[in-house]
Amino acid sequence: MRLMLTLEEKRKLFLITPQDGQKLDFRSFFANDHPLHIEIGSGRGEFLLKSSQQNPGVNYVGIELKEKRISTILKQINTIDHQNIRLMKAYVDSELLSHVPENSINRIYIFHPDPWPKRKHHKNRLIQPVFIENLLPILSPEGSVVISTDFKDYASEIVKVFSQNSGYKSVYEEGFSREPEPGHIVTYFEIKLRKEGFDPYFMRFNKAV
């Protein structure tokens, strides 16, 4: 296959669309059974693109709702360096998760989810008890959820939500770290927020077995 593809050709090659009543067949999408990592909210794609190159033995699926961001990522993808990337244009809810086979995801990344800082809007936050409970069935026994946020109040709430679910165990004694893990990839949003004086809180919650 030639290296240069049009945006529409890339869309057909890299974009996954769940079908009603069917489980997603990731082995078919990637033509292998490598470990599968999902990023919820891929933004401009920095993490997805760099991680896929650093870890060719891992398959990555980036889930993003905004069409503009999907197009931004597609423009950067090529068939030589990013064979282990697929994208989904979707909102992550119980309906979408119902298409994901059980025990199929080794890692889920959620970087800088919208903090909805006003108290009356907290109900709109992604990390909720029902949401993380719905993630458990799709995580493999050794699976984990990796999260970062620059918003202290949200970090505290995330730690509380996960601590109240016996299906998860934090790798950090306090529930978070101010230092990133080795190999951490800095995204546009993290750079922007650090310049504004907001240093991230890093969290990882392993599936308890």
Side-chain angles (χ1 to χ4, degrees):
M1 183 178 293
R2 69 186 191 282
L3 180 61
M4 298 301 294
L5 299 176
T6 67
L7 188 61
E8 286 309 307
E9 287 175 326
K10 288 183 179 182
R11 194 179 300 278
K12 292 178 181 179
L13 183 61
F14 291 102
L15 202 62
I16 296 172
T17 302
Q19 302 298 316
D20 290 344
Q22 296 182 17
K23 294 290 186 180
L24 292 163
D25 185 356
F26 293 109
R27 183 185 179 92
S28 174
F29 297 142
F30 292 101
N32 61 57
D33 57 358
H34 292 166
L36 182 62
H37 293 191
I38 285 181
E39 183 186 19
I40 298 175
S42 296
R44 299 186 176 193
E46 301 102 317
F47 171 80
L48 200 64
L49 295 162
K50 292 180 182 178
S51 289
S52 66
Q53 290 183 282
Q54 292 178 5
N55 304 286
V58 175
N59 294 328
Y60 290 86
V61 175
I63 305 176
E64 179 57 61
L65 182 60
K66 296 181 178 180
E67 176 60 36
K68 184 177 180 180
R69 291 180 178 175
I70 289 286
S71 295
T72 296
I73 298 171
L74 284 171
K75 289 174 183 176
Q76 301 174 79
I77 289 178
N78 67 69
T79 56
I80 301 301
D81 299 318
H82 308 118
Q83 296 182 35
N84 56 334
I85 288 180
R86 295 296 183 272
L87 301 173
M88 277 197 286
K89 182 179 180 296
Y91 179 74
V92 180
D93 56 12
S94 59
E95 171 61 25
L96 178 65
L97 295 176
S98 71
H99 291 281
V100 181
E102 291 188 1
N103 302 309
S104 63
I105 311 301
N106 295 82
R107 194 166 300 167
I108 297 172
Y109 302 97
I110 307 172
F111 298 130
H112 299 283
D114 193 331
W116 292 96
K118 293 183 179 180
R119 183 170 296 276
K120 64 180 180 179
H121 294 152
H122 284 188
K123 63 181 182 296
N124 297 323
R125 288 176 169 177
L126 178 64
I127 309 301
Q128 305 279 355
V130 172
F131 176 74
I132 69 166
E133 180 66 27
N134 288 338
L135 295 181
L136 276 173
I138 68 173
L139 282 172
S140 65
E142 69 277 13
S144 61
V145 180
V146 178
I147 304 174
S148 65
T149 179
D150 59 288
F151 202 74
K152 182 178 180 181
D153 171 70
Y154 198 9
S156 298
E157 182 179 329
I158 291 170
V159 170
K160 180 180 178 180
V161 169
F162 275 91
S163 68
Q164 292 175 342
N165 189 313
S166 61
Y168 295 95
K169 182 175 178 57
S170 173
V171 302
Y172 300 112
E173 185 176 348
E174 295 183 11
F176 63 83
S177 171
R178 302 312 302 273
E179 297 295 328
E181 297 182 1
H184 173 68
I185 293 172
V186 180
T187 66
Y188 164 82
F189 291 105
E190 183 176 331
I191 293 173
K192 180 176 182 294
L193 291 165
R194 282 185 181 276
K195 286 181 178 179
E196 295 173 0
F198 299 102
D199 293 332
Y201 295 79
F202 299 98
M203 293 157 276
R204 179 190 291 268
F205 303 96
N206 292 339
K207 185 174 182 178
V209 293

